[in-house]
């Protein structure tokens, strides 16, 4: 009896597991199909003691510069977002949020921001959170949205453009996707 049960398990077990494995791999394969998407770039202009302020200075590490702040520094900002790297170009949004320096070299921080957009065909905001590198590109997941960006998913990539001078400029590339159910709202 035990021998026949053993053969039964050996023969049937692979067949029982096969459909489960095929179902889980096909789900991942169709992840982005059928999603409405929007891709564009804007430029964030941050001026120390005008649009961005250090609220609490960090405790150790590097000194304050255009690209670094001491470990533990708490920074808040409300920066204009423009169509081009030129500060005088049309303002189409605002990035407001906070960051906390999370590395002893002063180059990395944890950031939370709400980016409010007032563009011709899209109005609302996207909320992002994630790790920022001050002198290298960094991806931030979109964790929510309002207005035309309700139920939005995706990410933004922040890349330094101009780190010299009083105002630093970052290129913000938006990669926004809406799930199928978002169109019903």
């Amino acid at each position: 009896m035990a021998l026949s049960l053993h053969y039964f398990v050996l023969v049937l077990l692979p067949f029982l597991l096969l459909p489960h494995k095929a179902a889980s791999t096909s789900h991942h394969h169709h992840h982005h199909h059928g999603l409405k998407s929007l891709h564009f770039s804007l430029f964030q202009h941050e001026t120390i003691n005008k649009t961005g302020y250090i609220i609490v200075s960090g405790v150790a590490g590097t000194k304050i510069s255009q690209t670094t702040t001491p470990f533990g520094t708490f920074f808040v900002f409300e920066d204009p977002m423009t169509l081009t790297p030129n500060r005088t170009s049309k303002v189409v949004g605002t990035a407001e949020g906070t960051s906390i320096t999370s590395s002893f070299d002063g180059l990395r921080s944890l950031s939370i921001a709400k980016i409010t957009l007032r563009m011709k065909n899209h109005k609302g905001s996207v909320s992002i959170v994630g790790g920022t590198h001050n002198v290298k590109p960094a991806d931030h997941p979109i964790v929510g949205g309002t207005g035309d960006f309700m139920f939005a998913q995706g990410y933004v990539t922040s890349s330094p453009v101009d780190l010299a001078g009083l105002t630093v400029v970052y290129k913000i590339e938006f990669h926004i996707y809406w799930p199928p159910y978002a169109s019903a709202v």
Side-chain angles (χ1 to χ4, degrees), residues 44-124:
Q44 179 180 356
H45 303 266
E46 187 166 274
T47 306
I48 301 297
N49 294 329
K50 184 175 180 187
T51 66
Y53 296 89
I54 293 175
I55 302 302
V56 176
S57 188
V59 295
T62 188
K63 298 201 182 287
I64 296 171
S65 73
Q66 292 301 92
T67 58
T68 60
T69 52
F71 178 76
T73 297
F74 185 73
F75 185 79
V76 296
F77 56 92
E78 185 177 343
D79 299 334
M81 305 283 290
T82 63
L83 294 174
T84 71
N86 186 336
R87 174 60 181 100
T88 60
S89 70
K90 183 177 180 177
V91 175
V92 294
T94 305
E96 56 187 306
T98 186
S99 65
I100 301 171
T101 305
S102 59
S103 66
F104 285 113
D105 64 5
L107 291 172
R108 293 182 311 278
S109 60
L110 298 174
S111 301
I112 301 167
K114 179 181 88 167
I115 302 173
T116 303
L117 301 168
R118 298 173 300 278
M119 302 182 317
K120 184 178 180 181
N121 295 320
H122 298 283
K123 292 181 181 15

